[in-house]
Amino acid sequence: MAGEPQADCLFCKIVAGEVPATIIRETETTVAFRDINPQAPTHVLVIPRVHYANAATLAIAEPGITADVLREAGEVAAQDKAESYRVVFNTGSGAGQTVFHAHAHVLAGRGLEWPPG
Ligand code: 5GP
Ligand code: ZN
């Protein structure tokens, strides 16, 4: 069924507690944890507990949970005392997506160039 955990999905395993992660926030619908390969002093991934391949498919199926992910991105930045931050949803392998479970990257704590690479 749509949104159900996928056996081969790393982030579903983190949600289930089967793979360890440095979890910094949890809600009924989301989990936020530090990226294993940080690209900035704050580099946190906010994921929905439900499995969708990317942010757009999540938004179609679960608009409320998509809003929860965005709200939690702001809470993560506030928790790390970041006034400015960037939220990134890599979508598709050509854009650097490697884990096909929707996730927001929250980046902060250094100068963030615009336009990004
Ligand atoms: P993507 O490349 O799909 O946009 O983002 C996936 C992110 O997941 C990458 O930034 C990568 O460093 C991170 N990542 C991959 N494996 C793990 C893991 O086992 N634990 C954590 N905390 N992050 C991971
Ligand atoms: Zn998943």
Side-chain angles (χ1 to χ4, degrees):
M1 224 165 57
E4 292 297 308
Q6 301 295 302
D8 59 348
C9 174
L10 173 64
F11 288 177
C12 283
K13 288 179 183 157
I14 288 177
V15 169
E18 293 165 12
V19 168
T22 305
I23 293 172
I24 62 163
R25 294 183 60 83
E26 285 189 87
T27 70
E28 253 181 47
T29 57
T30 64
V31 181
F33 53 94
R34 299 213 181 267
D35 197 293
I36 206 167
N37 181 24
Q39 302 303 312
T42 291
H43 187 173
V44 172
L45 303 174
V46 182
I47 69 173
R49 292 183 185 274
V50 289
H51 178 95
Y52 287 91
N54 60 53
T57 53
L58 175 70
I60 290 164
E62 297 282 2
I65 295 177
T66 308
D68 294 343
V69 169
L70 290 175
R71 188 195 61 245
E72 280 298 303
E75 294 294 340
V76 163
Q79 193 169 309
D80 274 14
K81 306 200 182 329
E83 263 179 38
S84 300
Y85 62 96
R86 184 167 293 158
V87 181
V88 174
F89 294 94
N90 294 328
T91 302
S93 53
Q97 188 177 7
T98 57
V99 179
F100 291 84
H101 178 130
H103 54 279
H105 294 258
V106 182
L107 297 153
R110 64 165 168 81
L112 294 166
E113 287 175 17
W114 191 261

